[in-house]
Amino acid sequence: METLITILVGVLVTVAVYLLLSRNLVRVILGSAILSHAVHLLLMTMGGLKKGNVPIIGEETGNFTDALPQALILTAIVISFAVTAFLLVLAYRTYKETGSDDLSALRGTEDE
Amino acid sequence: MNNMIVLPMVIPILTGVVLIFLRSYVKIQRVLSILSIVATIGISIYILNRIQVDGILRLDFGGWLPPYGILFVADSFAMLLVVTTAIITGILLFYAFSSVGKSFENMFFYPFVFFLIAGVNGSFLTGDLFNLFVCFEVMLLSSYVLITLGGRKVQLVESIKYVSINVLSSWFFLVAIAYLYGTVGTLNMAHLSVRIAEVGQGPLLTVISIIFLIVFSLKAGLLLYFWLPGSYSAPPTVVAALFGALLTKVGIYAMFRMFTLIFYHEPGITHKMIGVMAAVTLIGGSIGAIAHNDIRQIVSYNVVIAVGFILVGLAVSTEVAIQGSIYYLIHDMIIKALLFLLAGTMIYLTGTARIEQMSGLIRNYPILGWLFFITMLSLAGIPPLSGFIGKVYVGQGTIEAGAFVLLAIAFISSIFVLYSLLRIFMNCFWGETIINEDDDVPLKKGILIPCVMLGVLTVALGLGAEGIAVYVSDAAHTLMNPEIYIKAVLQDE
C-alpha cells in the first residue's frame, strides 16, 4: 500500500512540475495546488499506513493509527487552501492590471 | 507563570483581530496598535530577564508533556530576537502613521502588520518543527498581503514571483518534515536532537538536513536570493523596511536552531555547505550592490550581504563566532529597517529612485544626510556603532576555526557595503542641490523621528554592548551546548 501511494505521489509531482513550468499563470496555480496534494499524501505515507483503531486513550488497546500525520495534513490542507485562494485572486488582479496571464510577458523589471 | 511566553504571539494576533473590526476608525487603530506593541515589548523584556534567572522557559499547550504535545520554548536567543522584532515594529508603526496614507490604513494595513509579527514571534518561540511551518505560513500569508497591498503593477508582478517561490519552499519544508517524521518518528526539536544523537546522523538524515538547509536558504536569501531584490523593492517603504528587517531573519533563526540543536553531527558536510553558500552569497550580494543605480535595489542587495555575513558565524560554529552572529543579527535588524526607511524617504523627497538623478540632499535635509552617514558607518562596522562588535567576534571565531578564506570574503564584502552606500552618499547627498526653494518638499516630523529613533538605537547598541552582553553570551552558550535546551524541554516539572 505504501508503495502504491508513493508512486501516486510521484505521478502527482510530475504533473505538478509540468504545470508549474508552463507559461500560463492559471496553470502554475493549479500546479501548486496539485503539488501540495502530493505532499499531503507523502506526509500520510511517511507516518506509516497502518490499519488500526482510532487513537482514543482508555479503550482496550489494540494497534492505533498514528494521529499525528493526520493532524499535520489537516493543518497543511488549510494553509494550502488559503494560499491557493490568494494566488487565484492575485492572478485575477494581475490579469486586470497588465492585461496578460502569460508569465513570459511579465518578466523583468521595467525602469520607471 | 510560564503561560507568559505565549503572549508575544497572542497579543499581536488579538490586536490584529480587534483592529479588523475598527476598520474605519483610523485614530483608534493607531492608538491600539501602539499600546499593544508597547505591551509586547514590555513582556518580551520581562521574559528575557526571567530566563537569566530561571533558565529556559517552556509552555506545554494543553498540558501534554513533551515529546507528545506542541510547545513553546523561550531561550535567550529566541527572546533577544523577539524583543528586537517588537521594538523595531513599534518604531516602524510610527513611520507608518505619517507615510502609508489613509487608503492603506482603511484596507487593514495594521492588522496584517500584527499578523506578520505574530508569525515572526511564533517562529522564534516554537519548539516543534510543524509549528515552525505553521508560524512561517502565518508570517508568509501576511507578507503576501502586505506586498500586494496598493496593487500597483510592479507590486503585482513581483509578488507573483515572491508567492510562487515561497509556495515552492513551503512545499520542500513539508517534504523535509515528512521524511524526518518517517525516519525518526518525532517532530519535537529537543526530542529530535536526542533521537538523532542516539542513532547517529547517517547519510539519510544528512540529506534531510540539506533539504531543510535549502528551505531555510530560500526564506533567508542565502545563495537562493534571486527573488529578494525584486520583491523587497516593490512594496511601500514601511513594508519594505519590515521585510528587510524581519523576514530573512526568521530563516536565519531557523537555520541556527536546526544546525546547532539537531543536525550538528556532520559539520564536515552541512556546515561546510553553509560556509560555501555564505561565501557565494557575500560575493553575489556585493556584485549586486555595486552594479545597480536604483537605490532600492542597492539597499535590497545589502540585505543579501548581511545574510551571508551572519551565516559565516554559523558555518564556523565556534562559541565566539555564534556570539558575533547574534550581535550582528540584532544590529542588522535595526540598521536594515533604518536603511530602508532612509532610502524610502529619499525616494519620497525626490520622486525618483535613480541615484544619478539625486544630488545635494544634505543641503535641504541635513539630519537625514547625517543619519545616512551614521547608517553607512554602522553597516561597515566602524567602532562605536553597533556593527563593530558582531564583525569582531565573527572575525575572531573564523580565525579560531582557521577559516581564513571565509574571513577574507566576509571582511572584503564590508568594503563593498561601504562602497555601495558611499556611492549613494556621494551622489545623492553631496554636490549641487537639485531641489530649489520652491518645490522643497518639507520633511514631516513623523517621518524623521522614527529614523532618528533607529539611529539612536544603533548608536546605543554600539556603546551599550555590555548591557546585552549577558544575554548574547547566554544565547550563544545555549546554542553551542544543545544538552541545555534538551534538558529544559524534556525534563518533567
Side-chain angles (χ1 to χ4, degrees), chain B residues 148-429:
Chain B
T148 45
L149 207 61
R152 287 182 303 130
K153 197 169 155 188
V154 55
Q155 279 181 310
L156 291 171
V157 172
E158 288 300 337
S159 57
I160 285 179
K161 290 170 204 162
Y162 178 72
V163 177
S164 326
I165 286 294
N166 278 308
V167 166
L168 263 185
S169 82
S170 301
W171 182 75
F172 273 110
F173 200 169
L174 275 178
V175 169
I177 286 176
Y179 282 137
L180 196 58
Y181 187 69
T183 321
V184 213
T186 177
L187 288 176
N188 182 308
M189 291 201 223
H191 199 210
L192 271 173
S193 178
V194 174
R195 287 236 170 130
I196 289 174
E198 275 168 8
V199 299
Q201 188 180 335
L204 184 59
L205 281 167
T206 309
V207 170
I208 295 172
S209 78
I210 290 173
I211 304 181
F212 275 115
L213 178 62
I214 293 170
V215 172
F216 296 138
S217 306
L218 264 170
K219 312 265 185 200
L222 173 70
L223 187 61
L224 308 166
Y225 59 78
F226 47 87
W227 54 270
L228 193 146
S231 44
Y232 279 24
S233 52
T237 309
V238 194
V239 178
L242 262 178
F243 283 15
L246 304 180
L247 287 197
T248 53
K249 309 302 180 286
V250 182
I252 296 174
Y253 167 83
M255 239 184 277
F256 268 90
R257 266 278 176 268
M258 273 285 164
F259 290 98
T260 57
L261 178 65
I262 302 173
F263 298 114
Y264 58 92
H265 303 281
E266 286 279 3
I269 301 171
T270 47
H271 289 63
K272 191 161 273 173
M273 252 182 100
I274 297 174
V276 173
M277 287 165 92
V280 178
T281 313
L282 283 167
I283 297 170
S286 303
I287 293 173
I290 57 171
H292 285 276
N293 278 334
D294 186 314
I295 187 168
R296 286 174 303 197
Q297 297 273 345
I298 298 175
V299 171
S300 305
Y301 273 105
N302 270 303
V303 175
V304 175
I305 300 177
V307 170
F309 191 86
I310 294 166
L311 284 157
V312 165
L314 178 61
V316 297
S317 252
T318 65
E319 192 161 329
V320 181
I322 297 268
Q323 266 189 39
S325 288
I326 299 171
Y327 272 121
Y328 203 79
L329 199 55
I330 297 170
H331 146 78
D332 196 58
M333 287 166 87
I334 298 170
I335 208 74
K336 282 291 135 61
L338 178 55
L339 191 59
F340 272 96
L341 287 193
L342 288 176
T345 311
M346 285 161 70
I347 295 168
Y348 161 76
L349 290 172
T350 56
T352 173
R354 318 283 305 174
I355 58 173
E356 66 267 20
Q357 287 169 11
M358 295 184 205
S359 179
L361 282 177
I362 204 164
R363 283 164 209 272
N364 301 58
Y365 313 104
I367 301 178
L368 198 68
W370 291 113
L371 263 177
F372 193 87
F373 188 66
I374 291 175
T375 316
M376 190 172 76
L377 294 186
S378 184
L379 263 170
I382 307 291
L385 300 159
S386 58
F388 174 66
I389 318 143
K391 291 213 165 159
V392 168
Y393 277 136
V394 170
Q396 198 184 330
T398 41
I399 291 171
E400 270 174 21
F404 295 111
V405 180
L406 265 183
L407 177 73
I409 294 175
F411 279 11
I412 291 171
S413 78
S414 303
I415 298 175
F416 279 97
V417 169
L418 188 62
Y419 174 66
S420 70
L421 294 175
L422 257 179
R423 267 177 72 221
I424 301 182
F425 194 64
M426 297 302 279
N427 266 309
C428 308
F429 285 105

Side-chain angles (χ1 to χ4, degrees), chain A residues 68-84:
Chain A
L68 189 80
Q70 298 174 18
L72 302 191
I73 294 167
L74 187 59
T75 323
I77 285 176
V78 174
I79 291 170
S80 85
F81 258 148
V83 174
T84 310

